[in-house]
Amino acid sequence: MASLAEATTRSEAAERPRVRPLIATLPAVAWLLAFFATPLVIFAVYSLLTNQLYAVGTPFTLDAYRDALTSTLNRTLARNSLEVGLSTAAVTVIVGLPIAYWLRFVAQRSRIAVLFLIAASMFASYLVRIYAWRTVLGSRGLINSALDRAGLIDQPLGFLLYSRFAVVVALVHIFLPYVVLVLYAGMGPLGDGLLEAAQDLGAKSSLLWRRVIVPIMAAPAFSAFVFVFILSAADYVTPQFLGGRDGVTLGVQIQQNFIGVGNWPLAAATSFLMLLAFVAVFAVGSFILRRLKLSDIRLSS
Amino acid sequence: MQGRRAPVPTAITIGALLFLFVPLAIVVLFSFNSTGSLTFPFAGFSTRWYRQIIESAAFRDAVVNSAFVGGVVAVTTLMLGTLAAYGLTRASTKLRTPIAVLLFLPLTLPGLFLGLSLLVLFSRVEVNLSLGTVMIAHMVYVLPYYLLIAVAALQRLDPALEEAGADLGANTWLVFRRVTLPQVWPVLLAASLLAFALSFDEFIITFFVIGADSTLPLFIFSTLRRTVDPSVNAISSLLLVITLALFAIAFVLTLRGSKTAGLSIDAEPIGGTAR
C-alpha cells in the first residue's frame, strides 16, 4: 500500500512539480543561512587574517595555514586525533554490526525493549558519561579495585585512566548507540527470504556474513564510520578529562586558542584544515566503496 | 527465520548493554553513598549529596537557566521544524535537494566548529553573549534532529487522505490542521521533547557562546574541573533522570503516534518489516 501511494505521488510529480510547499521551509532556511552558513563564512575569513594583540586584522594572508601545517605540536596532536577517531569509529562499527543483526534477526519479544534501552542511552548526558568513565577507570575505581581484590594486581593499572585508551572507551560509549540504530535501519533490505535462501543453498554462517551481510551493510556501515570518525576526532571535552598527556587532541588545542588571549586566525586555520581532512577521509572511503562496487547494492524484498 | 540461535551476536548485545549502563548505574549508586569516597566498597545509604546540591543557589540557577533555554528551543524548533518538514515532504521539485542538504548539514559539523564560528559571528557583530545566544546556537544544533523524526513521520502518511481533503475544497492550512496534524501530533510532540532534552544537555557548543551565565552542563563541567566533589554524582544522577524521563515519554508518544497513523511499531521497525 505504501508503494502504491508512492507510485501515485511520483506519477503526479512527473506531471506537475509542486514548488509552493517549499515556502514552508523558508523560516528554517533563513535561520540556518543566518546562524550556520554565515558564521562559517566569517570563520573562514578569520583564518585568512593576521593575528594582533587582542584583535585580528588585515592584511589577508595564508600565514595561519602555514603556521598550522608546520607546527610539530599540531602534527602530534593531529595524529592523536586521527588515532582516537579511527579507533572509536572502527570499534563502534565492528561491535555495532552483530548488535544490529541480533535486533533484526534474533530478537523476538525483547526487540522493542532493547531498542528502547539503546536509544535511551543515546540521551544519557554526555558529560555524565565522561565522568562515569573517570570513576570506573580511576586508580581506585571499579576495575582496579576488582582486580586488586581478586589478587591479580599489586598496584593500580595506570594506563586505564589518563590515556588514549580511556578517551576511546568513553567515546565508544557515547557513539555506539547511534551506530547500532543506523546499522539496524540499514538492515531493512536484508529480507528474511534472502538469508533463508543463502542457508538453503548450504551457506555456512561465515560465508553468509562475508557474501551477503557485509556487502549489503557496507554503505550504511561506511556512513556510520564517517559520522563517528568526524565527531570523535573533533571532540575536545573527553580528552581533557580522560586523556592525560598522551591523549590531548587537536580539538583541545583549537579550543585553548579560542579562550583567553589566543591566536584566532591560527585556530580557525587549524579548524579548516581539520574539516578538509574529514572531507578527504569521506572522499577516499566513497572511492574505495565504489571500486569494490559495494555502494550501489540495492535489493528489493 | 525469527528466533534463530546466534550465541555470538546475543553475547555481544548483552555485553554492550552492560557496557552502556553499568558505568551510569555506578554514578547513581555513589550519589547515595554516605561518605565522600568515590571508591569501592560502598559505605552506606544517604541522601546528603542531594540535600547539599538543592541548597546550592548556583545549582538552582543553572537548572532554571537550562530549563528556560530548553523550553524556548523546543517551542521554536517545533514551529520552524514542522513547517520545514511539511515543505520538504510535500514539495516535488529539484529545489528540494539543496534545501534538504542545508537543513541536514549541521548534523555533520562537529560542535566545536559550530560553537567557534558562532562565537566569531557574535564577537564580529558585537552581540553580548547570554542565554539568548545559547538559544540561537541550540536551535541550529537541534533542528536537523527534529527534522529527521518529523520528516519520517510526515512521509509515512497516506497522501490520499490529504488529497481527498483538498478535493473536498479545504485549503492547505485547513488540510494540514484537520487531516495531517491529527495523524502526526504525538510524534511531533515527542520530537520537540527530544529537542528539549538535547538542548538541556548540550555542552560542546554552549561552552563558547554562553558568557557569564551558567547552565546545568556548564555547572557540572566547572565542578568536574575544580576538584573531586562527591555531589557531582547527585547532580549527574538528576541530569540522567531528567533526560531519560523525557526520552521515555517521547518513546511512548512515538509508539502511540504510529498507532494513530494506522501502523503498528511491531510490523514496521525502522528498517522494514520483520515478520
Side-chain angles (χ1 to χ4, degrees):
Chain A
M1 154 135 155
S3 62
L4 184 72
E6 228 165 64
T8 44
T9 321
R10 275 206 207 110
S11 66
E12 249 176 44
E15 287 163 19
R16 180 172 48 91
R18 286 191 305 264
V19 185
R20 256 190 62 207
L22 279 183
I23 296 170
T25 66
L26 285 182
V29 167
W31 189 265
L32 289 190
L33 285 178
F35 298 113
F36 177 70
T38 310
L40 277 176
V41 171
I42 298 177
F43 195 38
V45 172
Y46 263 61
S47 72
L48 298 168
L49 290 173
T50 313
N51 190 48
Q52 293 152 0
L53 195 59
Y54 296 107
V56 291
T58 46
F60 285 102
T61 160
L62 284 171
D63 282 2
Y65 283 93
R66 200 197 53 212
D67 293 348
L69 282 172
T70 52
S71 145
T72 48
L73 174 67
N74 268 6
R75 256 181 240 166
T76 315
L77 298 180
R79 204 165 45 235
N80 286 353
S81 298
L82 189 72
E83 283 182 28
V84 165
L86 289 179
S87 332
T88 309
V91 172
T92 47
V93 171
I94 291 168
V95 175
L97 267 173
I99 302 175
Y101 174 85
W102 184 87
L103 281 167
R104 177 73 179 81
F105 294 112
V106 183
Q108 295 179 339
R109 275 187 214 145
S110 45
R111 179 192 292 121
I112 292 284
V114 173
L115 268 178
F116 172 80
L117 286 174
I118 288 176
S121 76
M122 199 159 75
F123 281 86
S125 167
Y126 168 75
L127 283 176
V128 172
R129 297 207 248 186
I130 296 171
Y131 167 68
W133 281 105
R134 204 165 77 173
T135 313
V136 172
L137 298 174
S139 61
R140 292 167 69 200
L142 181 69
I143 292 176
N144 272 318
S145 59
L147 289 175
D148 184 38
R149 222 165 314 141
L152 291 172
I153 50 169
D154 295 329
Q155 49 189 2
L157 297 175
F159 73 89
L160 285 181
L161 190 59
Y162 304 125
S163 63
R164 221 172 296 157
F165 169 78
V167 175
V168 172
V169 169
L171 288 171
V172 167
H173 192 249
I174 290 166
F175 292 114
L176 184 61
Y178 289 95
V179 173
V180 170
L181 295 183
V182 169
L183 295 179
Y184 175 64
M187 290 212 166
L190 272 173
D192 290 348
L194 188 69
L195 288 200
E196 254 161 22
Q199 278 186 330
D200 290 349
L201 294 171
K204 292 231 171 57
S205 114
S206 61
L207 193 68
L208 197 68
W209 275 86
R210 212 172 59 237
R211 302 297 292 275
V212 181
I213 299 179
V214 169
I216 289 173
M217 293 307 291
F222 173 66
S223 352
F225 184 92
V226 171
F227 179 77
V228 173
F229 170 72
I230 291 176
L231 293 186
S232 56
D235 187 279
Y236 72 92
V237 185
T238 318
Q240 277 180 43
F241 284 114
L242 303 175
R245 236 181 317 138
D246 294 343
V248 181
T249 56
L250 209 49
V252 179
Q253 167 80 359
I254 294 172
Q255 180 228 5
Q256 300 293 337
N257 254 319
F258 261 88
I259 53 179
V261 188
N263 186 335
W264 283 25
L266 180 64
T270 315
S271 302
F272 277 95
L273 288 171
M274 247 177 123
L275 283 175
L276 195 69
F278 293 155
V279 173
V281 167
F282 179 74
V284 170
S286 328
F287 179 74
I288 295 173
L289 271 191
R290 235 175 301 135
R291 282 305 288 269
L292 295 173
K293 299 200 162 49
L294 291 175
S295 61
D296 53 354
I297 291 182
R298 293 269 187 282
L299 288 166
S300 51
S301 39
Chain B
M1 183 57 54
Q2 287 295 307
R4 60 168 64 228
R5 284 182 51 230
V8 176
T10 308
I12 293 176
T13 306
I14 295 170
L17 287 175
L18 290 174
F19 170 78
L20 288 173
F21 284 96
V22 166
L24 303 177
I26 287 174
V27 171
V28 177
L29 180 72
F30 275 111
S31 73
F32 293 108
N33 199 0
S34 59
T35 71
S37 157
L38 289 175
T39 57
F40 286 92
F42 189 69
F45 181 85
S46 152
T47 54
R48 60 186 278 210
W49 307 115
Y50 288 93
R51 277 188 315 241
Q52 186 181 316
I53 55 165
I54 286 165
E55 278 161 21
S56 147
F59 171 77
R60 286 199 310 260
D61 284 350
V63 172
V64 170
N65 285 347
S66 282
F68 176 49
V69 170
V72 172
V73 169
V75 171
T76 41
T77 304
L78 176 72
M79 295 189 295
L80 284 191
T82 305
L83 277 173
Y86 181 83
L88 280 180
T89 49
R90 297 300 175 260
S92 60
T93 151
K94 282 196 181 126
L95 253 177
R96 225 184 71 111
T97 312
I99 289 180
V101 167
L102 172 72
L103 292 177
F104 285 109
L105 207 55
L107 275 182
T108 61
L109 190 75
L112 172 65
F113 303 137
L114 201 57
L116 285 177
S117 59
L118 279 166
L119 169 64
V120 169
L121 172 82
F122 292 138
S123 86
R124 200 69 229 172
V125 296
E126 292 176 4
V127 168
N128 286 330
L129 299 179
S130 66
L131 291 183
T133 51
V134 174
M135 289 170 195
I136 289 174
H138 281 192
M139 280 176 60
V140 174
Y141 160 69
V142 160
L143 186 67
Y145 287 97
Y146 181 89
L147 282 175
L148 278 178
I149 303 173
V151 164
L154 287 169
Q155 246 161 9
R156 271 204 307 262
L157 299 183
D158 184 352
L161 293 175
E162 284 174 24
E163 279 157 23
D167 289 345
L168 292 170
N171 63 26
T172 313
W173 169 242
L174 195 64
V175 170
F176 178 74
R177 204 163 53 91
R178 302 294 291 273
V179 179
T180 315
L181 214 49
Q183 300 182 79
V184 292
W185 73 264
V187 181
L188 298 183
L189 185 62
S192 65
L193 284 181
L194 295 182
F196 181 93
L198 285 175
S199 162
F200 199 79
D201 187 49
E202 212 298 319
F203 173 79
I204 297 183
I205 305 166
T206 315
F207 176 81
F208 293 106
V209 294
I210 187 152
D213 291 305
S214 179
T215 60
L216 193 49
L218 255 94
F219 185 80
I220 294 180
F221 177 78
S222 58
T223 317
L224 284 180
R225 282 277 290 256
R226 265 202 317 273
T227 162
V228 188
D229 182 342
S231 67
V232 168
N233 291 303
I235 305 169
S236 300
S237 305
L238 284 178
L239 184 53
L240 280 178
V241 167
I242 293 169
T243 44
L244 293 183
L246 284 167
F247 174 77
I249 298 170
F251 192 82
V252 171
L253 279 171
T254 315
L255 284 182
R256 271 198 47 193
S258 25
K259 283 195 185 115
T260 317
L263 295 160
S264 122
I265 190 91
D266 220 25
E268 187 93 11
I270 300 167
T273 50
R275 273 156 231 259

